Each structure stands twice: as structure tokens, then as C-alpha cells.
């Protein structure tokens, strides 16, 4: 599903965010990206939906090398990838329903599809009955659930999460993790960057560890260390 | 497709509301620039009418020296007849002593002293010459010089001073109004560019999310470009309304002028104003599209 081949990414001559990174992630896998702050986790995730492009190497997503994909194809790549962020990135002037519907609206999904799929996904993330609230009327955990719903509503092949529990207390974070686990069980590949030791240690999924841009460990059913 | 349309229209309308003052400034500026642009075209057209009328109806008068014999008159007549045959002169007419005296009676009715000085022995007879239609001012001048070379010709008059004046006025008016509308249209393009930039900055979070979930650049861009297009078009509509009103008032006002003053030719009633109206709307739309298109492409990476 995802393959990195000898990828090197630098932001300037001094800052090399990734150095000669390679890995292979199969369809339906759940992978944690761990490592100290500044080790290149977010950079790695941004390479996958082509927010960034590496200087060297190849990035394969769903069978295509996205490095030399023409810009006009990038939106179609991104429709296959859901994104979740530490700060949720919800639109404050839109309701829960509208925030999720927005992801379908802007890729041209017809109204009747939106009316049917948005309530279903809100139900899945446990927000049924809160469709008409605005983000500021929700707890942090609930806001993150909205963002998960938005990332998942178009049934992407891959879900990318950059420290999704970073702003949440442990219990709430665990709730989000159960949700991601459920989504993963539907066949969606999940790649998640995290600092949360407890979560990595309890989930026992594959762990890829970065240190200063270099992959120093790639372990099935790993722990945080 | 339908949901896409409602999305676009909703976003475009929201953009207007979000940004009322800047939008108003952009629309007013484009309206004023387009109005001046339209008036420039109308004024040009009015002057063209006027010049054509002067040139078409102009008479040249060749005064023959008093006491010229018949063979001298015959020579001038045959020269003019040649020009009629080659098409440079439409027609000519000899005005003999009696005719000239009758003319003098009429022209000098208010000046009896001068009239008393003229009699059969000293009044110059004259040829009235109508040059061919739509001749250039320069050509008329050449014609005048050539008549002055002929023997027995005392002097030649031509309404060239008026032609000169009109030509100068036309050049003056169109140079400065053209400068004005170009500058103002540039300003309105910049203002539209700025409103769109502000609108995109206000919505950078939404644009970020749209890009992440895979909206195409065109999908993101179109509401903004439509917003600019509508601003330009609204400016165009205001300009067309004002222009038609001004033209109507002018046409009304000019009717009070005497027909002979030539001012009556300075109106545009032949339908040309509708052509100008369409040109104005097209220009307004174009300026709006260019201003917003550049902004929308340039600031998509917010
Ligand atoms: N847009 C950017 N421009 C320049 N340098 C950047 C940019 N983004 C990241 N970097 C640098 O690249 C390196 C890797 O950053 P990255 O954000 O990938 O780390 P991270 O592992 O996600 O860190 P954290 O755990 O703090 O989120 C860091 O040294 C960072 O300063
Ligand atoms: Mg990071």
C-alpha cells in the first residue's frame, strides 16, 4: 500500500529531516511512527499525501510513485488518504455535520449521498445527536472524533494521524485509539505518529522509530522503548 | 453537479458579505473607470460625426480677381471640370456678378457701409466648389493651394480653421480621457485582486482543509474568480447605466442648439452606444477575471 525507497528529504542544507528512509506497509496494517521531537515523523507523513516532495528516493502509494505525479492528479491521491491532526483543524464556523459534509461537498459528492453517509459516520464515531453543535461546544475528545469522521467519511484506503491524542487526556486518548483500531479493522491502513508511550505499549502494533531522520528500528508488535 | 453549483454560488455570496467595504470600493472604481472608458468612445464617435459633416458639406470658395476676362474664367472652369471628371471634386458652380451682388446683399445685410463699397465693377466673382465626399483635411488643404496657383485667382477660402479646431479638440479629449480610464482600470484590477486576496486569507483554514481532502485547485479557485468577475460586471452595469443616462441628457440638451452650430452632430444616437455598452460589460468582466484569477492562483498556497 505504501512503500518508501531510500527517501531523503531536507528543508535546507543544514536541516535534513529524513535520511535514506525505506519501508513497506501492507494494506490493512497499523503502524506507529515514534521518535523524539524533530526526528522527522511529521515530515514522513507529509510525504505520503504529497504536501512535501523528497530530493531523492521514491514514494509509492496505492501502486503509484507519487513523486512525479502531475499536480492535477494530487487531489485524487488525497481522496484516498484521510488526515487527522493534533489540533483537529475543524472549521469553527461550521457545525459538526457541516464539517464532515464539507469533505464530501468539495469533492463533488451528490447531496443525497452526503445526507446518508455523514450521519452514518457520525454514528460510528459516537457523535450521534451532536450534529448541530459547533466545535467550540464540544470537548477536545469530541472535536477529535469529528475530525476522525471527516477523515473517514470518504472511506479512504489510508488514514494518516499526526499525534491525534497529543492534546487529550489519557482516557479520552484511549477512546480515540479504540476508534482508530475499529477503522483499521475495516481494512483501512493506519499510519500514526505519536509520543504516547502507553498507547504504543498497549496496542502492540508495528513500530517504526526515527532518530534525527534515520529509521533506527522497525519492529512488528513493538513497544515504545 | 447541482451541489457543486449551489456550493459555488453560496461561497461567492458569502464572500461579498464578508468583505463589504473592499468589495464596494472595487465595484465603484471599476464603474468609474468603465464609465470614463465608455464616454471616451462616445466622444470620439461624436467628433467623428462632426468632422464627417464638416468635410462632407464643406464648400471651398475661389474668388476670381475683379475684371478677369472670359478666357480666364474658362480656364478655371475647365480645370475644375477636369477634377469633377477624376472624382476629386463633386460639383462646382460659377457665381457671376449678379449672383455675387445678391450674396453680398445677404451676407452684408448687417453691414451697410461695407456693402456700399461694392458694385458691378469691383465685386469679385467666385466659384463655389464642393469637394468629393469624405475627403481628408490634408487633401482639402492641398486642393486649396493648387487653386491659389491658378492665374486670375484672388484668394481661396476653406473652413479649415474649424476643422483644425475640432481635430485638436478630439485629440486632446481622447488623449487625456484614455489616460484616465487606463489608470483607473488598473486601479480597479488591483482593488479586485486585493479583495480576493483578503477573502482567501480569511478562508485559509477552509482552503487548507479543502486541499487536504482532495478538492481540485479549480474547485477552490472558481468561487473566488466568480466573485471577482461579478465585481467587474457590477461595475460594468453601473457604468453602462450612467453612460446611457449621460448620453440621453446630452442628446436632449444639444437639441436646443441651432442646427448650423454643428453641435447637433456631436450626439450618438445611431446605436453605437449599445456597442459601447457591450464593450464596457466585457471589459468589466475581463478586469474582474484577471484580477481575481491572478490572486486565486497566487494565493492558493495559503
Ligand atoms: N516547513 C519546514 N521548514 C523547515 N524545516 C522544517 C519544516 N518542517 C520541519 N522542519 C524541520 O525538519 C525536522 C523534522 O521535523 P518534523 O516536524 O518532521 O519532526 P517531528 O518528528 O514531527 O517532531 P515533533 O514530534 O515535535 O512533531 C525538524 O528539524 C524541523 O525543524
Ligand atoms: Mg510532528
Amino acid at each position: 500500500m505504501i512503500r518508501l525507497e531510500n527517501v531523503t528529504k531536507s528543508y535546507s542544507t543544514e536541516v535534513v529531516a529524513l535520511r535514506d528512509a525505506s519501508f513497506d506497509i501492507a494494506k490493512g496494517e497499523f503502524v506507529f511512527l515514534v521518535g523524539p521531537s524533530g526526528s522527522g515523523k511529521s515530515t514522513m507523513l507529509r510525504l505520503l499525501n504529497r504536501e512535501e516532495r523528497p530530493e531523492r528516493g521514491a514514494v509509492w502509494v496505492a501502486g503509484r510513485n507519487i513523486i512525479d505525479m502531475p499536480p492535477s492528479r494530487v487531489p485524487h491521491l488525497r481522496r484516498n488518504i484521510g488526515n487527522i491532526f493534533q489540533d483537529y483543524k475543524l472549521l469553527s464556523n461550521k457545525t459538526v455535520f457541516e464539517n464532515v459534509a464539507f469533505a464530501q461537498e468539495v469533492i463533488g459528492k451528490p447531496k443525497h449521498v452526503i445526507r446518508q453517509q455523514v450521519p452514518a459516520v457520525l454514528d460510528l464515531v459516537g457523535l450521534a445527536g451532536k450534529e448541530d453543535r459547533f466545535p467550540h461546544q464540544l470537548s477536545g475528545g469530541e472535536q477529535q472524533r469529528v475530525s476522525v469522521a471527516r477523515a473517514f467519511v470518504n472511506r479512504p484506503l489510508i488514514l494518516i494521524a499526526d499525534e491525534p491524542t497529543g492534546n487529550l487526556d489519557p482516557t479520552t486518548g484511549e477512546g480515540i485509539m479504540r476508534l482508530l483500531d475499529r477503522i483499521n479493522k475495516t481494512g483501512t491502513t493506519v499510519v500514526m505518529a505519536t509520543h504516547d508511550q502507553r498507547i504504543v505499549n498497549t496496542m502492540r502494533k508495528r513500530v517504526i522509530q526515527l532518530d534525527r531522520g534515520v529509521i533506527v528500528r522497525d519492529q512488528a508488535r513493538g513497544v515504545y522503548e | 453537479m447541482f451541489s457543486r453549483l449551489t456550493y459555488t454560488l453560496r461561497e461567492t455570496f458569502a464572500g461579498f458579505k464578508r468583505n463589504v467595504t473592499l468589495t464596494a470600493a472595487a465595484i465603484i472604481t471599476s464603474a468609474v473607470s468603465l464609465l470614463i472608458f465608455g464616454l471616451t468612445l462616445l466622444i470620439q464617435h461624436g467628433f467623428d460625426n462632426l468632422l464627417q459633416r464638416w468635410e462632407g458639406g464643406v464648400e471651398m470658395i475661389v474668388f476670381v480677381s475683379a475684371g478677369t476676362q472670359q478666357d480666364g474664367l474658362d480656364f478655371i472652369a475647365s480645370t475644375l471640370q477636369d477634377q469633377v471628371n477624376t472624382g476629386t471634386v463633386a460639383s462646382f458652380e460659377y457665381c457671376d456678378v449678379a449672383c455675387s451682388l445678391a450674396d453680398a446683399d445677404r451676407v452684408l445685410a448687417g453691414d451697410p457701409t461695407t456693402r456700399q463699397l461694392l458694385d458691378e465693377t469691383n465685386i469679385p466673382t467666385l466659384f463655389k466648389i464642393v469637394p468629393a465626399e469624405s475627403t481628408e483635411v490634408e487633401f482639402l488643404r492641398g486642393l486649396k493651394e493648387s487653386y491659389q496657383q491658378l492665374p486670375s485667382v484672388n484668394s481661396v477660402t476653406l473652413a479649415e480653421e474649424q476643422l483644425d479646431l475640432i481635430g485638436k479638440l478630439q485629440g486632446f479629449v481622447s488623449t487625456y480621457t484614455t489616460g484616465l480610464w487606463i489608470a483607473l482600470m488598473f486601479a480597479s484590477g488591483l482593488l479586485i485582486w486585493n479583495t480576493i486576496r483578503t477573502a482567501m486569507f480569511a478562508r485559509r483554514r477552509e482552503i487548507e482543509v479543502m486541499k487536504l481532502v482532495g478538492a481540485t485547485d479549480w474547485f477552490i479557485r472558481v468561487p473566488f474568480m466568480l466573485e471577482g468577475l461579478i465585481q467587474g460586471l457590477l461595475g460594468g452595469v453601473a457604468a453602462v447605466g450612467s453612460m446611457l443616462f449621460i448620453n440621453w441628457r446630452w442628446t436632449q440638451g444639444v437639441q436646443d442648439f441651432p442646427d448650423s452650430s454643428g453641435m447637433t452632430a456631436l450626439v450618438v444616437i445611431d446605436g453605437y452606444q449599445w456597442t459601447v455598452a457591450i464593450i464596457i460589460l466585457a471589459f468589466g468582466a475581463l478586469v474582474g477575471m484577471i484580477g481575481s484569477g491572478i490572486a486565486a492562483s497566487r494565493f492558493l498556497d495559503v
Side-chain angles (χ1 to χ4, degrees), chain B residues 135-210:
Chain B
T135 41
E136 301 286 324
V137 182
E138 282 312 308
F139 180 77
L140 287 177
R141 284 210 185 104
L143 215 53
K144 178 186 169 186
E145 305 228 322
S146 73
Y147 293 147
Q148 266 160 350
Q149 307 302 318
L150 294 175
S152 318
V153 166
N154 182 312
S155 64
V156 183
T157 64
L158 164 68
E160 70 175 319
E161 282 75 29
Q162 285 95 322
L163 289 179
D164 255 4
L165 187 69
I166 294 167
K168 264 194 195 127
L169 212 57
Q170 184 179 32
F172 183 83
V173 170
S174 49
T175 307
Y176 288 96
T177 51
T178 301
L180 261 182
W181 72 252
I182 289 177
L184 278 170
M185 204 170 284
F186 188 66
S188 71
L190 285 182
L191 269 170
I192 290 173
W193 178 82
N194 225 309
T195 38
I196 301 309
R197 190 181 65 158
T198 309
M200 294 188 79
F201 187 75
R203 297 184 52 202
R204 62 195 181 283
R205 303 263 307 180
E206 272 166 76
I207 293 175
E208 184 189 1
V209 172
M210 282 196 257

Side-chain angles (χ1 to χ4, degrees), chain A residues 75 78-79 85 89-90 105, chain B residues 10 205 208 211-212 214:
Chain A
R78 291 187 180 160
R79 289 175 195 187
F85 302 93
K89 292 200 196 297
L90 299 178
E105 220 176 7
Chain B
R10 194 181 71 212
R205 303 263 307 180
E208 184 189 1
K211 293 179 81 157
L212 273 174

Side-chain angles (χ1 to χ4, degrees), chain A residues 125-136:
Chain A
V125 302
L127 285 175
K130 295 184 174 160
E131 293 87 350
D132 295 330
R133 299 231 197 144
F134 286 91
H136 69 268

Side-chain angles (χ1 to χ4, degrees), chain A residues 41-43 162-163:
Chain A
K41 304 183 293 295
S42 296
T43 301
D162 196 349
E163 299 187 39

Side-chain angles (χ1 to χ4, degrees), chain B residues 50 53-54 162 166 254-265:
Chain B
L50 189 61
R53 183 164 153 158
W54 274 97
Q162 285 95 322
I166 294 167
V254 157
Q255 276 171 0
D256 298 339
F257 283 79
D259 197 44
S260 58
S261 70
M263 289 301 271
T264 46

Side-chain angles (χ1 to χ4, degrees), chain A residues 171-218:
Chain A
T171 335
T172 317
E174 274 164 30
I176 296 293
M177 290 318 296
R178 275 197 298 277
L179 190 53
L180 293 184
D181 200 29
R182 269 178 73 189
I183 287 174
N184 175 240
K185 295 233 157 65
T186 67
T188 307
T189 309
V190 178
V191 185
M192 168 173 160
T194 186
H195 283 292
D196 198 321
Q197 204 161 336
R198 266 170 37 117
I199 285 175
V200 176
N201 291 344
T202 48
M203 299 270 296
R204 300 303 302 260
K205 303 286 188 184
R206 178 175 168 190
V207 174
I208 295 176
Q209 186 178 346
L210 286 165
D211 189 10
R212 277 161 286 171
V214 180
I215 295 177
V216 293
R217 177 167 64 110
D218 186 345

